[in-house]
């Protein structure tokens, strides 16, 4: 498999990350739409509940983390390609120095975003399954292992005494870390989709419309597909020891937030669309079997009245 240089890989990753996060970035647009839909009384007339507050808080934290990660990478690019370019070690040595504070901080931020995205997916699954803890036991265990693996990876790199694991053990830790992240995404999306599908199937006899539950299920699958595919590509590139892993790795931070917000925004817009259609159906009823709109009829009622008083006055009186 062809290789690209590390200098090119870091430049390409920074470009795509900035496109996804800030300026005209997708994450910035989705985050702005999320806030607008939930805080504008025109589109959200319901009172804010605890679930809504949790969703908004998670979205805001993800956006802050993605922005902070972008700022760190911008600093690294300026230092590496401008200030350190003419030094004896060069750009490559500066960007790949895993003992530097900016390298450590960048990787910690990536890990925080991944754990936050997995925790948010588990929370959504828990809510969707009517707060049943039995359903999310396996995802919670996997998330705990994922966090421990991330801590061990950081500890193996950032100790001053040198790596505490061999290269083989370190590679296995990284592959385990990414495999668990991929498995968590697939499991949580699968659990949520299965719950929605079974609910739709059980209520099919009472269902009216074009399948609102199924549309929500497809929103979940489509929105999570990009993150799942990216995590799979990252895992494959790392197993193949290809430098493209550095390009894909920087996409993860904004992509987790994009996935989370896209689900929220698309479901909200779907609900608003259905509300408008219901109001239109109520104002303009459609003639169907069993539901025929009535037509107004004009009825004229004629009454015949006999006036006995006038007849009695015209009758002549009898004489004695």
């Amino acid at each position: 498999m062809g290789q690209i240089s590390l200098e090119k890989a870091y430049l390409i990753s920074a470009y795509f990350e900035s496109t996804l996060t800030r300026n005209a970035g997708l994450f910035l647009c989705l985050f702005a739409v999320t806030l607008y839909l939930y805080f504008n009384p025109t589109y959200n007339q319901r009172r804010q509940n605890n679930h809504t507050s949790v969703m908004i808080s998670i979205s805001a934290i993800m956006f802050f983390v993605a922005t902070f990660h972008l700022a760190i990478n911008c600093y690294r690019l300026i230092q590496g390609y401008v200030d350190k370019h003419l030094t004896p070690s060069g750009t490559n040595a500066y960007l790949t120095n895993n003992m530097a504070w900016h390298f450590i901080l960048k990787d910690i931020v990536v890990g925080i975003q991944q754990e936050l995205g997995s925790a948010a997916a588990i929370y959504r699954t828990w809510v969707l399954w009517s707060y049943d803890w039995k359903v999310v036991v396996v995802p919670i265990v996997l998330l705990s292992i994922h966090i421990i693996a991330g801590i061990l990876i950081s500890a193996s790199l950032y100790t001053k005494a040198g790596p505490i694991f061999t290269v083989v053990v370190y590679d296995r830790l990284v592959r385990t870390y990414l495999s668990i992240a991929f498995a968590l995404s697939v499991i949580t999306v699968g659990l949520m989709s299965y719950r929605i599908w079974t609910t739709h199937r059980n209520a099919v006899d009472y269902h009216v419309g074009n399948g609102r539950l199924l549309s929500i299920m497809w929103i979940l699958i489509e929105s999570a597909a990009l993150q799942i595919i990216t995590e799979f590509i990252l895992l494959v590139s790392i197993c193949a020891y290809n430098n493209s892993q550095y390009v894909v790795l920087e996409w993860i931070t904004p992509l987790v937030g994009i996935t989370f917000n896209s689900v929220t925004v698309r479901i909200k817009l779907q609900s608003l669309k259905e509300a408008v259609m219901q109001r239109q159906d109520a104002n303009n009823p459609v003639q169907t079997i069993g539901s025929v709109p009535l037509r107004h009829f004009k009825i004229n009622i004629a009454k015949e009245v006999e006036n006995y008083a006038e007849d009695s006055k015209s009758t002549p009186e009898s004489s004695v």
Side-chain angles (χ1 to χ4, degrees):
M1 184 178 293
Q3 287 277 22
I4 60 174
S5 64
L6 290 175
E7 290 86 351
K8 291 181 180 179
Y10 280 116
L11 275 177
I12 296 172
S13 64
Y15 170 76
F16 281 106
E17 183 184 10
S18 63
T19 303
L20 291 174
T21 307
R22 301 289 293 187
N23 299 329
L26 181 58
F27 193 8
L28 176 61
C29 297
L30 283 174
F31 180 67
V33 173
T34 301
L35 296 180
Y36 181 76
L37 290 176
Y38 275 96
F39 290 104
N40 191 325
T42 304
Y43 298 99
N44 190 16
Q45 299 178 356
R46 299 179 181 178
R47 186 174 57 183
Q48 302 292 333
N49 51 28
N50 293 331
H51 177 68
T52 303
S53 301
V54 171
M55 292 291 102
I56 294 297
S57 300
I58 294 175
S59 178
I61 294 173
M62 286 183 174
F63 183 74
F64 172 77
V65 172
T67 304
F68 187 62
H69 184 265
L70 178 62
I72 297 173
N73 275 338
C74 289
Y75 172 83
R76 283 166 49 82
L77 285 179
I78 294 173
Q79 290 291 317
Y81 288 93
V82 179
D83 296 340
K84 306 296 182 181
H85 178 64
L86 298 178
T87 59
S89 56
T91 301
N92 190 8
Y94 176 82
L95 294 176
T96 57
N97 181 14
N98 57 17
M99 294 299 299
W101 67 268
H102 49 81
F103 192 98
I104 298 173
L105 185 60
K106 177 181 71 71
D107 281 4
I108 290 176
V109 171
V110 173
I112 291 174
Q113 188 78 322
Q114 281 191 311
E115 314 302 351
L116 186 61
S118 299
I122 293 174
Y123 172 76
R124 270 180 168 159
T125 305
W126 177 59
V127 172
L128 200 58
W129 280 85
S130 302
Y131 307 98
D132 187 0
W133 286 103
K134 297 178 182 179
V135 178
V136 295
V137 168
V138 173
I140 289 176
V141 172
L142 289 176
L143 179 61
S144 302
I145 298 175
H146 192 250
I147 294 174
I148 295 173
I151 294 174
L152 291 176
I153 292 172
S154 300
S156 68
L157 287 175
Y158 309 140
T159 54
K160 293 183 179 180
I164 61 177
F165 298 112
T166 62
V167 176
V168 176
V169 175
Y170 173 76
D171 287 345
R172 290 177 179 175
L173 278 174
V174 173
R175 294 177 185 181
T176 301
Y177 181 82
L178 296 176
S179 299
I180 293 175
F182 176 75
L184 272 173
S185 299
V186 174
I187 290 173
T188 51
V189 172
L191 286 173
M192 287 186 285
S193 301
Y194 178 75
R195 176 65 168 178
I196 295 173
W197 179 76
T198 53
T199 303
H200 169 79
R201 184 188 60 183
N202 295 333
V204 67
D205 294 335
Y206 312 97
H207 183 69
V208 178
N210 296 324
R212 180 177 186 273
L213 292 177
L214 291 181
S215 64
I216 293 177
M217 183 188 72
W218 284 113
I219 287 174
L220 286 172
I221 296 174
E222 292 169 1
S223 299
L226 182 59
Q227 179 180 342
I228 293 175
I229 293 173
T230 303
E231 290 174 344
F232 179 75
I233 294 174
L234 177 61
L235 180 61
V236 171
S237 61
I238 286 182
C239 291
Y241 299 99
N242 194 280
N243 287 339
S244 60
Q245 60 183 280
Y246 298 102
V247 179
V248 183
L249 181 62
E250 305 303 329
W251 298 354
I252 294 295
T253 306
L255 206 57
V256 171
I258 289 172
T259 301
F260 179 82
N261 281 270
S262 62
V263 173
T264 304
V265 171
R266 292 184 65 186
I267 292 178
K268 185 67 176 178
L269 292 176
Q270 180 74 13
S271 301
L272 293 174
K273 178 181 177 181
E274 291 178 355
V276 172
M277 292 177 64
Q278 289 176 358
R279 287 195 297 266
Q280 291 177 351
D281 292 340
N283 295 331
N284 301 308
V286 179
Q287 183 173 349
T288 58
I289 299 176
S291 178
V292 181
L294 298 179
R295 187 174 59 186
H296 295 285
F297 294 93
K298 183 178 180 181
I299 301 176
N300 296 322
I301 300 177
K303 294 182 179 181
E304 295 182 0
V305 179
E306 295 181 2
N307 196 337
Y308 292 99
E310 295 180 355
D311 294 341
S312 61
K313 291 181 181 178
S314 58
T315 304
E317 296 180 359
S318 58
S319 57
V320 181

